[in-house]
C-alpha cells in the first residue's frame, strides 16, 4: 500500500572530497556533511546513513535518497560540505513527504533542480 | 540467501538523445540502444526494461543495472546508441554473474570503468 510515511534512507558519501586535492588532512567534506546532518532536523521516517563512495567522485559531495517500494531513488551531487546540511535536510524532508519520491519541480531547491546526478525508478515487486 | 542467479534488471533510458539536437526526428539513440538490446544475447536471469529518463541527460545514453537484495545498483552513461548493445550486454552479463554486483575492476570493459555515473549500495532488508 502506498504511504508517504514509508521509511526513507538518506545516504551520504563520507569519502567525497568535493574537489579537494588528495593531500588535505582531516575529515573529508563528505564526512563533514554527514556529521552536520546528524545534528540536523530530519523527519521521523528518515534514517541517515554514511556510505563509502557512490562512484560519483567528480561531482561530489553526493547524497542518495531512497525508500519504499513506490519511490524513485535520486542521487544528488555537487554539495560542498557541512554548510549544505540544511539544503540536504530540506530536500529529504520534501522527498520523505511524497509517496512516489517525485517532488514537484517548483518545490525543489535550485540546487536540487540543477544537480540531480541520476534517478532510478522504483523496483517492481511481485504482486 | 545470497545467490548469483537472483533476477537482474537492465534498465535502459529510451529518451536519451546522446547529445543529439532536439530537432532530430526518428527514434532517439536511447530507444535504438534499447531495441538493439532486445535482440542481444542476455543471461536468463536478466530482464530488459525501457525507462523514460534517468535525469542523466547530459551524459546519456544511460543504463542502470540492479537486482536482488545483495547487489549494488550501478548507473552507466555515455553510450552512443545501438552500436553499444554488445558492450552493455557484456557488462550486464558480468554483473548478473555476481552475488553483490561488484564486478572486479580488471574484468570491466574500459567503457564501464570510465563511465560509471553512480552506484548505490544494496538496500538492507529487515531480518
Amino acid at each position: 500500500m502506498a504511504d508517504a510515511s514509508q521509511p526513507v534512507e538518506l545516504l551520504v558519501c563520507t569519502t567525497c572530497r568535493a574537489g579537494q586535492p588528495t593531500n588535505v588532512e582531516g575529515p573529508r567534506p563528505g564526512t563533514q556533511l554527514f556529521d552536520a546532518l546528524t545534528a540536523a532536523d530530519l523527519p521521523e521516517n528518515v534514517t541517515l546513513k554514511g556510505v563509502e563512495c557512490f562512484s560519483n567522485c567528480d561531482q561530489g559531495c553526493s547524497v542518495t535518497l531512497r525508500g519504499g517500494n513506490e519511490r524513485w531513488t535520486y542521487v544528488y551531487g555537487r554539495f560542498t560540505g557541512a554548510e549544505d546540511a540544511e539544503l540536504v535536510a530540506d530536500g529529504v524532508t520534501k522527498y520523505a513527504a511524497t509517496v512516489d519520491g517525485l517532488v514537484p519541480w517548483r518545490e525543489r531547491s535550485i540546487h536540487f533542480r540543477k544537480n540531480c546526478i541520476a534517478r532510478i525508478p522504483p523496483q517492481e515487486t511481485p504482486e
Side-chain angles (χ1 to χ4, degrees), chain A:
Chain A
M1 182 77 182
D3 180 356
S5 68
Q6 277 207 341
V8 163
E9 286 180 309
L10 168 59
L11 308 176
V12 179
C13 173
T14 56
T15 49
C16 273
R17 294 181 181 279
Q20 266 188 353
T22 55
N23 62 354
V24 174
E25 294 193 6
R28 295 187 185 183
T31 299
Q32 293 177 30
L33 174 59
F34 176 81
D35 289 346
L37 280 164
T38 61
D41 189 22
L42 299 177
E44 267 187 30
N45 63 334
V46 172
T47 303
L48 173 68
K49 289 185 184 172
V51 172
E52 289 194 2
C53 197
F54 291 128
S55 283
N56 181 44
C57 314
D58 290 343
Q59 300 181 83
C61 302
S62 303
V63 306
T64 296
L65 316 183
R66 72 174 174 192
N69 297 332
E70 309 276 338
R71 286 196 188 87
W72 285 70
T73 293
Y74 279 86
V75 183
Y76 290 98
R78 304 186 198 101
F79 298 103
T80 50
E83 60 273 32
D84 283 333
E86 205 169 314
L87 182 62
V88 173
D90 170 73
V92 73
T93 299
K94 289 170 180 165
Y95 176 86
T98 69
V99 167
D100 55 10
L102 304 173
V103 177
W105 185 257
R106 74 177 76 181
E107 292 177 22
R108 296 184 203 179
S109 65
I110 303 287
H111 188 98
F112 273 60
R113 286 186 201 167
K114 293 195 172 173
N115 296 286
C116 178
I117 303 301
R119 62 172 199 162
I120 303 169
Q123 193 139 15
E124 280 171 36
T125 46
E127 303 264 318

